[in-house]
């Protein structure tokens, strides 16, 4: 799927990507109608779940999609893997709003560490009295060193869409998406990236050898396509 925009997104999965240590994705396949409202969409992280997404930023931006329903409390949490265990780094509660939501660690002046892997999660609190009914979506992120050539190219590039493409070509999903979300005058740029991510997850599904994992990735692909359709309808 390709959308008309200033540039053509060229996101590619990083070479030899790592597999998540913790199950990631969304539990919204068991749709809570009271919480989702719109059956065409569900709570979804806008990030790779077939493998660990990468960033060169120490204060990355995280993005997710909230279904079209009334505003509810939503909780963002971030944990760091330390000696095989998870240690809480950040948590924040906010009110949900339909569509794409974002959160940057720069908001709290929190910095991640290069070479480290983290698990981030968003939980839509559907019923405060029954946490088991919450909709939850999660993904893993890894902070990597920026290649010297890419660092030089980025420093010499003023157009956000060119910087986004440079990051995307290197498999740096979070940085590519942040560039488009921070300069979202051209909504098609964001939708192009989501379409590229959907294709990347589809390719991972084709290579999956376990039927359950293949089905799980197919569901993520479907969610991303539904989000693209929903966002296009708002244009």
């Amino acid at each position: 799927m390709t959308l008309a925009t200033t540039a053509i997104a060229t996101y590619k999965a990083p070479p030899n990507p790592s597999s998540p240590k913790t199950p990631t994705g969304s539990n919204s396949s068991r749709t809570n109608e009271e919480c989702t409202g719109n059956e065409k969409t569900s709570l979804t992280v806008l990030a790779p779940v077939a493998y660990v997404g990468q960033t060169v930023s120490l204060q990355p931006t995280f993005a997710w999609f909230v279904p079209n329903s009334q505003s509810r409390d939503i909780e963002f949490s971030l944990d760091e893997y330390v000696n095989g265990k998870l240690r809480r780094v950040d948590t924040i509660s906010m009110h949900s709003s339909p569509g794409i939501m974002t959160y940057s660690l720069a908001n709290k002046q929190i910095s991640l560490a290069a070479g480290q892997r983290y698990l981030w999660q968003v939980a839509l609190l559907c019923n405060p009295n029954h946490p088991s009914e919450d909709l939850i979506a999660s993904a893993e992120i890894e902070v990597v060193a920026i290649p010297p050539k890419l660092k030089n190219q980025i420093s010499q590039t003023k157009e956000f869409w060119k910087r986004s493409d440079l990051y995307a070509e290197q498999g740096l999903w979070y940085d590519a998406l942040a560039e488009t979300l921070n300069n979202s005058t051209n909504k098609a740029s964001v939708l192009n990236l989501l379409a590229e991510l959907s294709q990347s997850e589809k390719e991972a599904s084709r290579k999956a050898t376990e039927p359950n994992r293949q089905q799980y990735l197919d569901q993520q692909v479907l969610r991303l396509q539904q989000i693209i359709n929903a966002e296009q309808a708002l244009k």
Side-chain angles (χ1 to χ4, degrees):
M1 177 179 181
T2 303
L3 307 170
T5 183
T6 308
I8 302 299
T10 53
Y11 174 71
K12 301 175 183 177
N16 303 314
S18 301
S19 299
K21 296 180 180 180
T22 303
T24 55
S26 172
N27 73 342
S28 56
S29 56
R30 57 171 183 81
T31 304
N32 183 326
E33 294 182 0
E34 179 184 358
C35 215
T36 58
N38 183 351
E39 62 179 11
K40 296 291 185 181
T41 57
S42 56
L43 183 68
T44 306
V45 289
L46 302 185
V49 298
Y51 49 87
V52 180
Q54 296 183 345
T55 181
V56 297
S57 174
L58 300 184
Q59 296 180 315
T61 295
F62 303 89
W64 60 92
F65 185 89
V66 176
N68 183 22
S69 64
Q70 70 182 69
S71 180
R72 298 180 183 276
D73 288 337
I74 193 166
E75 183 179 88
F76 170 92
S77 61
L78 178 70
D79 294 273
E80 177 183 11
Y81 284 100
V82 180
N83 297 324
K85 298 182 179 180
L86 290 171
R87 179 180 65 85
R88 182 57 48 92
V89 174
D90 186 29
T91 183
I92 184 173
S93 296
M94 61 190 86
H95 293 298
S96 70
S97 59
I100 297 175
M101 293 187 66
T102 64
Y103 175 65
S104 172
L105 293 185
N107 296 343
K108 282 192 175 180
Q109 298 184 332
I110 294 175
S111 294
L112 303 184
Q116 289 293 103
R117 188 190 296 195
Y118 302 80
L119 173 71
W120 66 277
Q121 174 181 286
V122 285
L124 191 60
L125 310 185
C126 303
N127 187 337
N129 297 320
H130 295 87
S132 62
E133 296 181 9
D134 294 347
L135 294 184
I136 299 173
S138 63
E140 289 190 6
I141 181 173
E142 181 180 17
V143 183
V144 299
I146 185 170
K149 180 179 179 181
L150 175 61
K151 183 177 181 179
N152 183 57
Q153 291 174 315
I154 292 295
S155 66
Q156 297 180 13
T157 304
K158 295 182 178 180
E159 296 91 344
F160 81 86
W161 54 269
K162 286 186 179 180
R163 292 197 300 270
S164 178
D165 268 7
L166 287 170
Y167 284 127
E169 289 170 356
Q170 294 294 315
L172 298 167
W173 168 260
Y174 289 89
D175 307 282
L177 184 62
E179 286 289 346
T180 61
L181 290 173
N182 292 335
N183 302 273
S184 56
T185 52
N186 187 348
K187 188 175 183 179
S189 298
V190 176
L191 300 187
N192 257 322
L193 270 178
L194 293 183
E196 290 292 323
L197 176 61
S198 176
Q199 182 61 34
S200 176
E201 299 284 87
K202 184 181 294 185
E203 291 175 1
S205 173
R206 291 172 183 159
K207 297 177 182 178
T209 56
E210 299 177 6
N212 288 343
R213 177 167 174 76
Q214 187 175 54
Q215 182 180 18
Y216 157 77
L217 292 176
D218 287 343
Q219 289 174 348
Q220 177 70 0
V221 170
L222 177 60
R223 283 192 289 265
L224 290 170
Q225 292 173 338
Q226 290 172 334
I227 290 168
I228 292 170
N229 293 338
E231 288 294 290
Q232 280 186 305
L234 296 177
K235 293 173 65 176

